[in-house]
Amino acid sequence: MLVDSASLYFRAFFGVPDSMKAPDGTPVNAVRGFLDMVSTLVTQRRPDRLVACWDDDWRPAFRVEAIPSYKAHRVANPAKNIEETPPGLLPQVPVIVDVLAAFGIPRIGGAGLEADDVIGTLATRAADAGTGPVEVVTGDRDLFQLVDDAREVRVLYVGRGVRNLEVVDEKWLGAKYGVSGGDGYADLAVLRGDPSDGLPGVAGVGEKTAAAMLARYGSLDALMAAARAGDPKLAPGATKKLLAAEDYVAAAPRVVQVVPDADLPVVDDAIPRTPVDHEAVVALADRWGIGSSVTRLVTALSL
């Protein structure tokens, strides 16, 4: 199980009342929500291995070089490349880091990489080694590109909460988006764009149109080749739109596609059945008033 950590703790911050506070008044709603989500996931899915994947760089330079607008609207401090983050969440992230360490749940990030790239690399490693299945936990549709039935990689989408998981496989992608597998979803994402990430997409080409064109031509590369060749099967209006966005379409895959082969450490990711540092867990539970969430996680891991 590969957990998109930021996706979960942001969701927890906005989904759990901020009236939940530590004894000193510090909000702990994101901490408690995150730990409770992990407990529920471990209880429901029973993974043998678990990694908390981390954003060491939320806006990597290689993506910004390809598409300068990438996440630009979410920059709070351009000089330091700091993301706009709710003030109440900021002090909670280090607490999550400390709790994961005390439990012995590995937390992996990489210099110049987003959590998506960590997940893509670890999923690829496991699939190549035949040590799957792999389940990716996220509320981010970008990671649908990793879905691969043959390699036993699927996404547990938490858009409706961890208690209402949507298990995303190739059949699900086909029914929902009309695409064939994870690669098809990545091509769709390039054409459609994503305003929340500052990706414009191809002007005038919506999700359904993009899916229909990809279904006809099989891939983004084949679709663009058809547009350049003036294929009569492609409507003149669509051809014009695709050619007008040719520079964008050439650059966008570098932004959309996750890194599958990052230089990341190999760690022991076996589920810790008991916390590696019991005293630290107890101290953190008392310090931050998160005893009930810690107890739930202890129970879930021990099952």
Side-chain angles (χ1 to χ4, degrees):
M1 177 174 284
L2 302 173
V3 176
D4 183 358
S5 302
S7 177
L8 263 61
Y9 65 63
F10 266 92
R11 183 170 295 273
F13 177 78
F14 288 108
V16 178
D18 60 8
S19 56
M20 292 186 174
K21 299 183 185 298
D24 67 357
T26 301
V28 290
N29 54 327
V31 179
R32 291 186 59 173
F34 178 85
L35 296 179
D36 290 347
M37 287 181 192
V38 173
S39 299
T40 298
L41 289 161
V42 169
T43 300
Q44 288 183 350
R45 308 302 298 186
R46 308 310 313 161
D48 296 312
R49 299 154 62 198
L50 175 66
V51 177
C53 301
W54 215 256
D55 282 311
D56 276 10
D57 189 340
W58 72 285
R59 190 172 181 248
F62 73 90
R63 290 195 167 99
V64 177
E65 288 169 4
I67 304 288
S69 62
Y70 181 62
K71 294 184 178 179
H73 59 296
R74 288 156 54 183
V75 177
N77 185 327
K80 296 183 178 180
N81 194 34
I82 295 175
E83 182 178 16
E84 196 170 59
T85 304
L89 176 58
L90 286 172
Q92 300 191 59
V93 177
V95 180
I96 293 172
V97 170
D98 290 344
V99 174
L100 290 171
F103 269 94
I105 296 172
R107 181 179 64 88
I108 300 179
L113 298 174
E114 298 180 59
D116 288 12
D117 303 310
V118 176
I119 291 169
T121 294
L122 297 182
T124 300
R125 283 184 187 174
D128 288 347
T131 55
V134 177
E135 294 190 332
V136 174
V137 182
T138 186
D140 185 351
R141 296 185 301 169
D142 293 342
L143 287 166
F144 290 174
Q145 65 185 275
L146 295 175
V147 169
D148 188 328
D149 288 0
R151 289 164 62 80
E152 295 189 288
V153 180
R154 54 185 170 255
V155 169
L156 305 181
Y157 185 57
V158 297
R160 296 186 297 160
V162 295
R163 296 186 183 279
N164 296 290
L165 291 174
E166 294 179 84
V167 180
V168 180
D169 56 14
E170 291 182 15
K171 181 179 179 181
W172 190 97
L173 286 178
K176 180 73 172 179
Y177 295 105
V179 297
S180 177
D183 289 343
Y185 183 84
D187 287 347
L188 176 72
V190 169
L191 291 169
R192 177 194 62 204
D194 186 347
S196 68
D197 280 343
L199 294 179
V202 176
V205 175
E207 189 169 273
K208 291 184 178 179
T209 300
M213 291 191 295
L214 290 170
R216 168 171 285 180
Y217 290 98
S219 71
L220 181 60
D221 288 343
L223 172 62
M224 293 305 296
R228 286 190 292 268
D231 188 337
K233 295 179 183 177
L234 192 59
T239 297
K240 184 177 180 179
K241 292 170 184 175
L242 291 169
L243 293 179
E246 195 164 8
D247 288 345
Y248 160 78
V249 173
R254 182 160 172 75
V255 177
V256 169
Q257 294 169 5
V258 301
V259 176
D261 54 0
D263 183 16
L264 297 174
V266 176
V267 302
D268 180 4
D269 56 10
I271 283 273
R273 296 304 173 188
T274 60
V276 297
D277 190 336
H278 290 267
E279 291 184 2
V281 167
V282 172
L284 287 165
D286 290 344
R287 166 71 177 83
W288 298 108
I290 55 174
S292 58
S293 295
V294 164
T295 298
R296 277 192 283 274
L297 185 54
V298 169
T299 300
L301 293 172
S302 67
L303 294 176

PDB file of all heavy atoms in Angstrom, residues 69-89:
ATOM      1  N   SER A  69       3.167  27.526 -16.071  1.00  0.00           N
ATOM      2  CA  SER A  69       1.961  27.779 -15.280  1.00  0.00           C
ATOM      3  C   SER A  69       1.662  26.666 -14.280  1.00  0.00           C
ATOM      4  O   SER A  69       0.714  26.771 -13.491  1.00  0.00           O
ATOM      5  CB  SER A  69       0.752  27.943 -16.210  1.00  0.00           C
ATOM      6  OG  SER A  69       0.511  26.751 -16.952  1.00  0.00           O
ATOM      7  N   TYR A  70       2.466  25.611 -14.274  1.00  0.00           N
ATOM      8  CA  TYR A  70       2.203  24.464 -13.404  1.00  0.00           C
ATOM      9  C   TYR A  70       2.147  24.908 -11.935  1.00  0.00           C
ATOM     10  O   TYR A  70       3.136  25.394 -11.385  1.00  0.00           O
ATOM     11  CB  TYR A  70       3.272  23.390 -13.596  1.00  0.00           C
ATOM     12  CG  TYR A  70       3.071  22.155 -12.738  1.00  0.00           C
ATOM     13  CD1 TYR A  70       1.929  21.371 -12.885  1.00  0.00           C
ATOM     14  CD2 TYR A  70       4.005  21.775 -11.787  1.00  0.00           C
ATOM     15  CE1 TYR A  70       1.729  20.250 -12.111  1.00  0.00           C
ATOM     16  CE2 TYR A  70       3.818  20.647 -11.012  1.00  0.00           C
ATOM     17  CZ  TYR A  70       2.676  19.886 -11.171  1.00  0.00           C
ATOM     18  OH  TYR A  70       2.486  18.763 -10.395  1.00  0.00           O
ATOM     19  N   LYS A  71       0.979  24.783 -11.336  1.00  0.00           N
ATOM     20  CA  LYS A  71       0.720  25.114  -9.931  1.00  0.00           C
ATOM     21  C   LYS A  71       1.107  26.556  -9.568  1.00  0.00           C
ATOM     22  O   LYS A  71       1.222  26.879  -8.372  1.00  0.00           O
ATOM     23  CB  LYS A  71       1.447  24.133  -8.992  1.00  0.00           C
ATOM     24  CG  LYS A  71       0.933  22.699  -9.073  1.00  0.00           C
ATOM     25  CD  LYS A  71       1.623  21.810  -8.046  1.00  0.00           C
ATOM     26  CE  LYS A  71       1.073  20.401  -8.087  1.00  0.00           C
ATOM     27  NZ  LYS A  71       1.754  19.516  -7.104  1.00  0.00           N
ATOM     28  N   ALA A  72       1.281  27.416 -10.547  1.00  0.00           N
ATOM     29  CA  ALA A  72       1.745  28.777 -10.268  1.00  0.00           C
ATOM     30  C   ALA A  72       0.777  29.543  -9.370  1.00  0.00           C
ATOM     31  O   ALA A  72       1.204  30.361  -8.535  1.00  0.00           O
ATOM     32  CB  ALA A  72       1.953  29.528 -11.581  1.00  0.00           C
ATOM     33  N   HIS A  73      -0.515  29.285  -9.517  1.00  0.00           N
ATOM     34  CA  HIS A  73      -1.506  30.017  -8.737  1.00  0.00           C
ATOM     35  C   HIS A  73      -1.533  29.594  -7.267  1.00  0.00           C
ATOM     36  O   HIS A  73      -2.190  30.223  -6.453  1.00  0.00           O
ATOM     37  CB  HIS A  73      -2.894  29.803  -9.349  1.00  0.00           C
ATOM     38  CG  HIS A  73      -3.320  28.364  -9.397  1.00  0.00           C
ATOM     39  ND1 HIS A  73      -2.668  27.421 -10.151  1.00  0.00           N
ATOM     40  CD2 HIS A  73      -4.325  27.713  -8.753  1.00  0.00           C
ATOM     41  CE1 HIS A  73      -3.250  26.251  -9.983  1.00  0.00           C
ATOM     42  NE2 HIS A  73      -4.255  26.401  -9.143  1.00  0.00           N
ATOM     43  N   ARG A  74      -0.790  28.536  -6.930  1.00  0.00           N
ATOM     44  CA  ARG A  74      -0.778  28.050  -5.549  1.00  0.00           C
ATOM     45  C   ARG A  74       0.518  28.394  -4.820  1.00  0.00           C
ATOM     46  O   ARG A  74       0.767  27.927  -3.718  1.00  0.00           O
ATOM     47  CB  ARG A  74      -0.983  26.525  -5.546  1.00  0.00           C
ATOM     48  CG  ARG A  74      -2.410  26.152  -5.909  1.00  0.00           C
ATOM     49  CD  ARG A  74      -2.552  24.762  -6.484  1.00  0.00           C
ATOM     50  NE  ARG A  74      -2.001  23.712  -5.649  1.00  0.00           N
ATOM     51  CZ  ARG A  74      -1.986  22.427  -6.016  1.00  0.00           C
ATOM     52  NH1 ARG A  74      -2.496  22.071  -7.195  1.00  0.00           N
ATOM     53  NH2 ARG A  74      -1.462  21.511  -5.225  1.00  0.00           N
ATOM     54  N   VAL A  75       1.344  29.234  -5.448  1.00  0.00           N
ATOM     55  CA  VAL A  75       2.616  29.607  -4.833  1.00  0.00           C
ATOM     56  C   VAL A  75       2.381  30.744  -3.834  1.00  0.00           C
ATOM     57  O   VAL A  75       1.899  31.807  -4.195  1.00  0.00           O
ATOM     58  CB  VAL A  75       3.645  30.051  -5.891  1.00  0.00           C
ATOM     59  CG1 VAL A  75       4.932  30.500  -5.217  1.00  0.00           C
ATOM     60  CG2 VAL A  75       3.932  28.910  -6.867  1.00  0.00           C
ATOM     61  N   ALA A  76       2.758  30.514  -2.571  1.00  0.00           N
ATOM     62  CA  ALA A  76       2.625  31.549  -1.548  1.00  0.00           C
ATOM     63  C   ALA A  76       3.871  32.428  -1.489  1.00  0.00           C
ATOM     64  O   ALA A  76       3.789  33.624  -1.252  1.00  0.00           O
ATOM     65  CB  ALA A  76       2.377  30.910  -0.185  1.00  0.00           C
ATOM     66  N   ASN A  77       5.040  31.811  -1.709  1.00  0.00           N
ATOM     67  CA  ASN A  77       6.308  32.536  -1.664  1.00  0.00           C
ATOM     68  C   ASN A  77       7.145  32.106  -2.858  1.00  0.00           C
ATOM     69  O   ASN A  77       7.824  31.071  -2.815  1.00  0.00           O
ATOM     70  CB  ASN A  77       7.048  32.246  -0.351  1.00  0.00           C
ATOM     71  CG  ASN A  77       8.315  33.073  -0.202  1.00  0.00           C
ATOM     72  OD1 ASN A  77       8.991  33.385  -1.180  1.00  0.00           O
ATOM     73  ND2 ASN A  77       8.638  33.432   1.031  1.00  0.00           N
ATOM     74  N   PRO A  78       7.106  32.891  -3.965  1.00  0.00           N
ATOM     75  CA  PRO A  78       7.838  32.508  -5.173  1.00  0.00           C
ATOM     76  C   PRO A  78       9.341  32.341  -4.949  1.00  0.00           C
ATOM     77  O   PRO A  78       9.959  31.455  -5.539  1.00  0.00           O
ATOM     78  CB  PRO A  78       7.548  33.664  -6.148  1.00  0.00           C
ATOM     79  CG  PRO A  78       6.281  34.263  -5.651  1.00  0.00           C
ATOM     80  CD  PRO A  78       6.335  34.122  -4.158  1.00  0.00           C
ATOM     81  N   ALA A  79       9.939  33.174  -4.103  1.00  0.00           N
ATOM     82  CA  ALA A  79      11.387  33.112  -3.890  1.00  0.00           C
ATOM     83  C   ALA A  79      11.804  31.791  -3.272  1.00  0.00           C
ATOM     84  O   ALA A  79      12.872  31.248  -3.573  1.00  0.00           O
ATOM     85  CB  ALA A  79      11.829  34.268  -2.999  1.00  0.00           C
ATOM     86  N   LYS A  80      10.943  31.252  -2.395  1.00  0.00           N
ATOM     87  CA  LYS A  80      11.274  29.999  -1.707  1.00  0.00           C
ATOM     88  C   LYS A  80      10.468  28.807  -2.221  1.00  0.00           C
ATOM     89  O   LYS A  80      10.596  27.702  -1.704  1.00  0.00           O
ATOM     90  CB  LYS A  80      11.047  30.161  -0.203  1.00  0.00           C
ATOM     91  CG  LYS A  80      11.965  31.205   0.442  1.00  0.00           C
ATOM     92  CD  LYS A  80      11.741  31.265   1.938  1.00  0.00           C
ATOM     93  CE  LYS A  80      12.683  32.267   2.597  1.00  0.00           C
ATOM     94  NZ  LYS A  80      12.482  32.336   4.067  1.00  0.00           N
ATOM     95  N   ASN A  81       9.639  29.032  -3.249  1.00  0.00           N
ATOM     96  CA  ASN A  81       8.818  27.967  -3.827  1.00  0.00           C
ATOM     97  C   ASN A  81       7.970  27.276  -2.752  1.00  0.00           C
ATOM     98  O   ASN A  81       7.901  26.047  -2.687  1.00  0.00           O
ATOM     99  CB  ASN A  81       9.696  26.932  -4.547  1.00  0.00           C
ATOM    100  CG  ASN A  81       8.870  26.013  -5.444  1.00  0.00           C
ATOM    101  OD1 ASN A  81       7.872  26.429  -6.035  1.00  0.00           O
ATOM    102  ND2 ASN A  81       9.271  24.757  -5.552  1.00  0.00           N
ATOM    103  N   ILE A  82       7.333  28.086  -1.916  1.00  0.00           N
ATOM    104  CA  ILE A  82       6.508  27.560  -0.834  1.00  0.00           C
ATOM    105  C   ILE A  82       5.046  27.561  -1.262  1.00  0.00           C
ATOM    106  O   ILE A  82       4.533  28.544  -1.785  1.00  0.00           O
ATOM    107  CB  ILE A  82       6.691  28.395   0.445  1.00  0.00           C
ATOM    108  CG1 ILE A  82       8.138  28.251   0.948  1.00  0.00           C
ATOM    109  CG2 ILE A  82       5.711  27.965   1.520  1.00  0.00           C
ATOM    110  CD1 ILE A  82       8.453  29.132   2.134  1.00  0.00           C
ATOM    111  N   GLU A  83       4.374  26.433  -1.003  1.00  0.00           N
ATOM    112  CA  GLU A  83       2.966  26.289  -1.384  1.00  0.00           C
ATOM    113  C   GLU A  83       2.064  27.012  -0.392  1.00  0.00           C
ATOM    114  O   GLU A  83       2.326  27.056   0.813  1.00  0.00           O
ATOM    115  CB  GLU A  83       2.593  24.806  -1.415  1.00  0.00           C
ATOM    116  CG  GLU A  83       1.163  24.543  -1.849  1.00  0.00           C
ATOM    117  CD  GLU A  83       0.835  23.067  -1.918  1.00  0.00           C
ATOM    118  OE1 GLU A  83       1.592  22.254  -1.362  1.00  0.00           O
ATOM    119  OE2 GLU A  83      -0.182  22.724  -2.538  1.00  0.00           O
ATOM    120  N   GLU A  84       0.992  27.569  -0.927  1.00  0.00           N
ATOM    121  CA  GLU A  84      -0.026  28.190  -0.087  1.00  0.00           C
ATOM    122  C   GLU A  84      -0.699  27.096   0.738  1.00  0.00           C
ATOM    123  O   GLU A  84      -1.322  26.188   0.181  1.00  0.00           O
ATOM    124  CB  GLU A  84      -1.044  28.894  -0.982  1.00  0.00           C
ATOM    125  CG  GLU A  84      -1.918  29.890  -0.272  1.00  0.00           C
ATOM    126  CD  GLU A  84      -2.724  30.712  -1.249  1.00  0.00           C
ATOM    127  OE1 GLU A  84      -3.493  30.110  -2.020  1.00  0.00           O
ATOM    128  OE2 GLU A  84      -2.573  31.937  -1.259  1.00  0.00           O
ATOM    129  N   THR A  85      -0.542  27.155   2.037  1.00  0.00           N
ATOM    130  CA  THR A  85      -1.050  26.117   2.928  1.00  0.00           C
ATOM    131  C   THR A  85      -1.807  26.769   4.078  1.00  0.00           C
ATOM    132  O   THR A  85      -1.348  27.780   4.622  1.00  0.00           O
ATOM    133  CB  THR A  85       0.111  25.272   3.504  1.00  0.00           C
ATOM    134  OG1 THR A  85       0.866  24.730   2.428  1.00  0.00           O
ATOM    135  CG2 THR A  85      -0.413  24.123   4.361  1.00  0.00           C
ATOM    136  N   PRO A  86      -2.959  26.222   4.469  1.00  0.00           N
ATOM    137  CA  PRO A  86      -3.695  26.803   5.592  1.00  0.00           C
ATOM    138  C   PRO A  86      -2.816  26.880   6.838  1.00  0.00           C
ATOM    139  O   PRO A  86      -2.139  25.896   7.181  1.00  0.00           O
ATOM    140  CB  PRO A  86      -4.853  25.811   5.793  1.00  0.00           C
ATOM    141  CG  PRO A  86      -5.024  25.151   4.470  1.00  0.00           C
ATOM    142  CD  PRO A  86      -3.653  25.059   3.878  1.00  0.00           C
ATOM    143  N   PRO A  87      -2.807  28.021   7.524  1.00  0.00           N
ATOM    144  CA  PRO A  87      -1.951  28.180   8.715  1.00  0.00           C
ATOM    145  C   PRO A  87      -2.188  27.096   9.764  1.00  0.00           C
ATOM    146  O   PRO A  87      -1.255  26.646  10.434  1.00  0.00           O
ATOM    147  CB  PRO A  87      -2.331  29.562   9.249  1.00  0.00           C
ATOM    148  CG  PRO A  87      -2.869  30.294   8.057  1.00  0.00           C
ATOM    149  CD  PRO A  87      -3.550  29.255   7.213  1.00  0.00           C
ATOM    150  N   GLY A  88      -3.433  26.657   9.890  1.00  0.00           N
ATOM    151  CA  GLY A  88      -3.740  25.635  10.890  1.00  0.00           C
ATOM    152  C   GLY A  88      -3.170  24.270  10.564  1.00  0.00           C
ATOM    153  O   GLY A  88      -3.033  23.417  11.462  1.00  0.00           O
ATOM    154  N   LEU A  89      -2.836  24.039   9.315  1.00  0.00           N
ATOM    155  CA  LEU A  89      -2.275  22.751   8.915  1.00  0.00           C
ATOM    156  C   LEU A  89      -0.767  22.690   9.120  1.00  0.00           C
ATOM    157  O   LEU A  89      -0.209  21.630   9.444  1.00  0.00           O
ATOM    158  CB  LEU A  89      -2.621  22.472   7.442  1.00  0.00           C
ATOM    159  CG  LEU A  89      -2.030  21.211   6.802  1.00  0.00           C
ATOM    160  CD1 LEU A  89      -2.439  19.957   7.579  1.00  0.00           C
ATOM    161  CD2 LEU A  89      -2.482  21.102   5.342  1.00  0.00           C
TER     162      LEU A  89
END
